[in-house]
């Protein structure tokens, strides 16, 4: 029995470290983060640009989203996205993701406390998305993204795609979603560095992108004009780690004030999360402000803030 219980984690651990561009796995938006990232089957706002491009066809407003994430070890992760509805069935979107941190000191075997020089590390992703509502129940979407990672004198570039589907079953409010994110060819750095002893190195190993296959299911077990409860369950299958399960729940009062919580099972470091949201309707737009706290067992915590403007 013990062997069976440990089978999936052991197989997953064998895949750790086989992919690059890890910043693409950092979730976007305070709402999704508070729900434990169990969001692909909800995906009904501009954060669907990251989670499920098919979800862009699930809401009617044109939206702009900005998400800021105080990630662990003083890393900043920012996301800016725009969603525009061409008509009732076709939607376009664009987004920019950036991961940045302060410059770091250069160290060597002979100068472990620094040589006096500094280097930088930056990740960016530029994406274009399209979604189409095929019927009132089914929609699909796709995203093409250009990814660039800069580590001092080295750069790694590549193109990846996301694909997503969104299906309303017709049984109450239940819906089902399937996504594949960060699918593409292997990436390798280009550039040359000088190692200790004036040795040059310009050949580098290539790695796969961090492809993730997600299946999600969501429904409202209770809903009326004043109260709404949304629950979501999601299975994630990354190419570089164990399969994991995430759960999320959201309570909304008059769609103005919202509280959320989530939990991740079989995920390294991460476990519970929670947060809140506030919708502020004004004359020409609606502003949604979301916050999420995500706990890490050893690395501390992460805080996400996001703002969505709807027109």
């Amino acid at each position: 029995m013990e062997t069976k219980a440990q089978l999936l984690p052991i197989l997953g651990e064998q895949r750790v470290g086989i992919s690059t561009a890890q910043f693409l796995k950092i979730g976007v938006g305070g709402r999704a983060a508070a729900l434990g990232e169990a969001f692909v089957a909800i995906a009904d706002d501009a954060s669907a640009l990251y989670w499920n491009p098919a979800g862009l066809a699930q809401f009617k407003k044109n939206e702009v989203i900005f998400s800021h994430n105080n990630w662990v070890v003083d890393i900043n992760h920012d996301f800016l996205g725009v969603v525009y509805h061409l008509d009732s069935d076709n939607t376009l979107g664009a987004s920019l993701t950036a991961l940045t941190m302060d410059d770091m000191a250069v160290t060597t075997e002979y100068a472990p406390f620094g040589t006096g020089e500094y280097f930088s590390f930056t990740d960016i992703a530029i994406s274009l998305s399209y979604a189409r509502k095929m019927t009132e129940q089914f929609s699909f979407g796709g995203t093409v993204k250009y990814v660039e990672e800069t580590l001092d004198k080295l750069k790694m570039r590549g193109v990846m795609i996301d694909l997503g589907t969104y299906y309303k079953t017709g049984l109450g409010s239940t819906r089902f979603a399937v996504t594949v994110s960060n699918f593409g060819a292997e990436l390798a750095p280009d550039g040359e560095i000088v190692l200790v002893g004036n040795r040059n190195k310009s050949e580098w190993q290539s790695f796969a992108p961090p492809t993730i296959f997600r299946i999600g299911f969501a429904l409202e077990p209770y809903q009326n004009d004043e109260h709404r409860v949304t629950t979501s369950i999601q299975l994630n299958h990354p190419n570089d780690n164990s399969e994991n399960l995430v759960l999320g729940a959201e309570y909304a009062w008059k769609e103005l004030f919202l509280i959320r919580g989530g939990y991740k099972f079989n995920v390294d470091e991460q476990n519970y999360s929670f947060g809140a949201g506030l919708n502020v309707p004004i004359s020409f737009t609606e502003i949604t402000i979301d916050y999420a706290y995500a706990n890490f067992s050893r690395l501390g915590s992460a805080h996400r803030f996001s703002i969505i403007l709807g027109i």
Side-chain angles (χ1 to χ4, degrees), residues 271-284:
N271 41 47
Y272 67 86
S273 58
F274 58 84
L278 183 66
N279 292 328
V280 184
I282 55 180
S283 59
F284 63 93

Side-chain angles (χ1 to χ4, degrees), residues 251-284:
Y251 166 75
W253 178 75
K254 293 186 176 181
E255 299 301 330
L256 295 177
F257 177 72
L258 307 95
I259 56 175
R260 310 171 179 110
Y263 198 89
K264 297 181 178 182
F265 297 89
N266 201 36
V267 177
D268 294 338
E269 283 292 320
Q270 303 180 58
N271 41 47
Y272 67 86
S273 58
F274 58 84
L278 183 66
N279 292 328
V280 184
I282 55 180
S283 59
F284 63 93

Side-chain angles (χ1 to χ4, degrees), residues 103-161:
D103 289 351
M104 293 172 280
V106 175
T107 60
T108 69
E109 296 95 325
Y110 306 107
F113 299 105
T115 64
E117 299 179 305
Y118 289 83
F119 70 96
S120 61
F121 179 84
T122 305
D123 287 329
I124 63 168
I126 302 172
S127 305
L128 294 176
S129 302
Y130 169 75
R132 179 174 175 80
K133 183 182 290 186
M134 302 299 294
T135 68
E136 287 301 315
Q137 290 181 287
F138 177 76
S139 61
F140 77 90
T143 297
V144 178
K145 66 180 73 171
Y146 167 78
V147 177
E148 182 175 294
E149 186 170 89
T150 302
L151 175 59
D152 196 18
K153 300 177 178 64
L154 302 180
K155 282 186 179 290
M156 183 165 56
R157 306 175 180 89
V159 176
M160 304 175 197
I161 62 171

Side-chain angles (χ1 to χ4, degrees), residues 8-252:
L8 285 179
I10 289 173
L11 291 177
E13 289 173 1
Q14 293 175 354
R15 302 195 299 265
V16 172
I18 67 171
S19 71
T20 187
Q22 291 291 298
F23 79 105
L24 296 174
K25 295 164 62 176
I26 301 175
V28 166
R31 184 185 181 198
L35 287 166
E37 300 186 350
F39 199 67
V40 298
I42 299 176
D44 56 359
D45 59 35
S47 65
L49 287 164
Y50 174 85
W51 295 105
N52 183 358
L56 300 176
Q58 300 304 314
F59 57 96
K60 297 180 180 179
K61 293 181 180 180
N62 300 321
E63 293 185 349
V64 177
I65 180 173
F66 173 72
S67 174
H68 175 71
N69 183 358
N70 290 329
W71 198 234
V72 294
V73 295
D74 297 325
I75 298 173
N76 292 310
H77 179 264
D78 296 292
F79 180 90
L80 176 65
V82 179
V83 178
Y84 179 74
H85 296 275
L86 299 173
D87 52 41
S88 60
D89 295 328
N90 298 278
T91 306
L92 294 177
S95 64
L96 171 66
T97 306
L99 183 142
T100 57
M101 62 186 72
D102 293 339
D103 289 351
M104 293 172 280
V106 175
T107 60
T108 69
E109 296 95 325
Y110 306 107
F113 299 105
T115 64
E117 299 179 305
Y118 289 83
F119 70 96
S120 61
F121 179 84
T122 305
D123 287 329
I124 63 168
I126 302 172
S127 305
L128 294 176
S129 302
Y130 169 75
R132 179 174 175 80
K133 183 182 290 186
M134 302 299 294
T135 68
E136 287 301 315
Q137 290 181 287
F138 177 76
S139 61
F140 77 90
T143 297
V144 178
K145 66 180 73 171
Y146 167 78
V147 177
E148 182 175 294
E149 186 170 89
T150 302
L151 175 59
D152 196 18
K153 300 177 178 64
L154 302 180
K155 282 186 179 290
M156 183 165 56
R157 306 175 180 89
V159 176
M160 304 175 197
I161 62 171
D162 299 345
L163 297 173
T165 61
Y166 194 104
Y167 178 67
K168 296 180 179 178
T169 67
L171 300 174
S173 63
T174 58
R175 57 264 198 206
F176 177 78
V178 177
T179 68
V180 178
S181 303
N182 310 320
F183 179 78
E186 290 192 349
L187 308 177
D190 58 65
E192 184 177 85
I193 63 171
V194 179
L195 303 175
V196 174
N198 291 322
R199 294 173 292 129
N200 294 333
K201 181 174 178 60
S202 59
E203 295 183 2
W204 310 96
Q205 182 179 354
S206 62
F207 292 89
T211 305
I212 307 175
F213 177 76
R214 299 181 175 102
I215 301 176
F217 182 82
L219 77 158
E220 279 70 35
Y222 180 80
Q223 185 174 15
N224 58 28
D225 292 339
E226 187 171 342
H227 307 281
R228 171 178 60 81
V229 176
T230 298
T231 58
S232 180
I233 182 171
Q234 185 173 300
L235 176 66
N236 302 320
H237 177 86
N239 68 338
D240 58 358
N241 214 318
S242 306
E243 290 75 15
N244 60 82
L245 183 72
V246 293
L247 304 176
E250 175 181 73
Y251 166 75

